[in-house]
Amino acid sequence: MGRGKIVIQKIDDSTSRQVTFSKRRKGLIKKAKELAILCDAEVCLIIFSSTDKLYDFASSSVKSTIERFNTTKMEQQQLLNPASEVKFWQREAETLRQELHSLQENHRHLTGEQLNGLSVKELRNLESQLEMSLRGIRMKREHILTNEIKELTRKRSLLHHENLEISRKVQRIHQENVELYKQVYATSNTNGLGHHELVDGANESLVEVRLQLSQPEQSHYETSSNS
């Protein structure tokens, strides 16, 4: 024997109404879960009882589903009503025009133009903005100059070390020449060469070596004095 049809109307008895609500709610949530799993659907169910008690179910998230619903609903309304979309973009264009006008006016104020309509408070705020901008510019300039000074100091130190190394090389070459001419003088006594002739030749050679090796050092000092 099949069940009889239930008249779809409010149940007057509060106890029966609560029992029916509990049974139907559980069955509805079960069906929502099955629909989400079987059909890979995004399902969101929100129920408020007569006593304002909340029951909800969501296959992903209630909040994300509601946001998706609102977005989709708005897009559908715009597609169905092109005039509303035109009005939306008109409002956006008007907002952008107002922002552009405000930026242009602020730029003119910062450059000292069209200040007649400004009050004392507005002029004071404008002055504060300019002072902050100048402070930032000075800080940036000092930062750049400090880095340049550090770089020049590093280069000067590098050139100084190179100069010292060249000086040591010159001294070493000079010492080698002295030792060489001593050996030549020791062996030249048998060949009839005079001591003064060897000394003159050594001095001329040393002068030539010093002149040749002092050119980079002289160029370095000129560069240092110029810098």
Side-chain angles (χ1 to χ4, degrees):
M1 183 176 179
R3 294 189 302 175
K5 294 183 179 181
I6 300 176
V7 179
I8 304 301
Q9 63 181 13
K10 181 181 177 181
I11 301 175
D12 295 330
D13 184 67
S14 60
T15 303
S16 299
R17 187 169 60 243
Q18 184 63 33
V19 172
T20 303
F21 173 79
S22 179
K23 290 181 179 180
R24 296 292 179 102
R25 175 181 57 81
K26 292 179 181 178
L28 190 59
I29 293 176
K30 181 180 179 182
K31 291 295 182 181
K33 290 180 181 179
E34 292 176 354
L35 182 62
I37 295 173
L38 295 175
C39 302
D40 192 23
E42 184 175 354
V43 181
C44 176
L45 178 63
I46 300 174
I47 303 174
F48 284 97
S49 67
S50 59
T51 58
D52 292 335
K53 191 173 182 180
L54 171 65
Y55 301 91
D56 65 288
F57 165 78
S59 57
S60 57
S61 170
V62 175
K63 182 179 179 180
S64 63
T65 304
I66 293 175
E67 290 177 351
R68 182 178 178 182
F69 168 78
N70 291 331
T71 303
T72 305
K73 191 69 175 178
M74 186 180 299
E75 291 176 353
Q76 289 178 353
Q77 290 177 354
Q78 291 177 355
L79 291 175
L80 294 175
N81 187 10
S84 62
E85 185 176 3
V86 172
K87 292 180 179 179
F88 171 78
W89 290 114
Q90 287 177 349
R91 289 194 300 269
E92 289 291 322
E94 182 63 26
T95 302
L96 291 176
R97 278 195 294 268
Q98 292 177 358
E99 292 180 357
L100 177 61
H101 177 73
S102 178
L103 290 173
Q104 290 175 344
E105 185 177 5
N106 189 30
H107 179 266
R108 287 192 294 268
H109 291 165
L110 291 174
T111 56
E113 299 177 0
Q114 299 183 0
L115 302 177
N116 295 330
L118 299 180
S119 63
V120 176
K121 184 178 180 180
E122 291 174 340
L123 291 173
R124 191 172 298 165
N125 292 334
L126 183 61
E127 184 180 4
S128 299
Q129 293 179 7
L130 291 173
E131 288 178 353
M132 291 178 62
S133 299
L134 288 174
R135 191 180 302 114
I137 293 172
R138 293 191 186 101
M139 291 177 63
K140 182 63 176 179
R141 182 191 62 184
E142 291 176 359
H143 178 71
I144 294 175
L145 290 176
T146 301
N147 290 338
E148 290 180 354
I149 291 172
K150 289 181 180 179
E151 182 65 19
L152 291 175
T153 303
R154 186 188 66 83
K155 290 181 179 180
R156 185 183 64 180
S157 178
L158 182 62
L159 291 174
H160 177 68
H161 288 301
E162 291 179 354
N163 184 41
L164 292 177
E165 183 65 23
I166 292 173
S167 299
R168 284 192 291 267
K169 289 181 179 180
V170 170
Q171 293 294 331
R172 185 166 57 251
I173 292 173
H174 174 69
Q175 186 66 29
E176 291 175 355
N177 288 336
V178 171
E179 295 295 330
L180 178 62
Y181 279 102
K182 285 182 179 180
Q183 294 176 4
V184 172
Y185 176 73
T187 57
S188 63
N189 291 328
T190 58
N191 296 328
L193 293 176
H195 174 69
H196 295 289
E197 295 177 352
L198 291 174
V199 171
D200 293 337
N203 290 333
E204 292 178 357
S205 177
L206 288 174
V207 169
E208 182 179 0
V209 170
R210 288 172 182 171
L211 288 175
Q212 292 176 353
L213 293 175
S214 62
Q215 288 178 358
E217 184 177 2
Q218 183 178 0
S219 175
H220 164 67
Y221 286 136
E222 290 177 357
T223 305
S224 300
S225 62
N226 291 332
S227 62

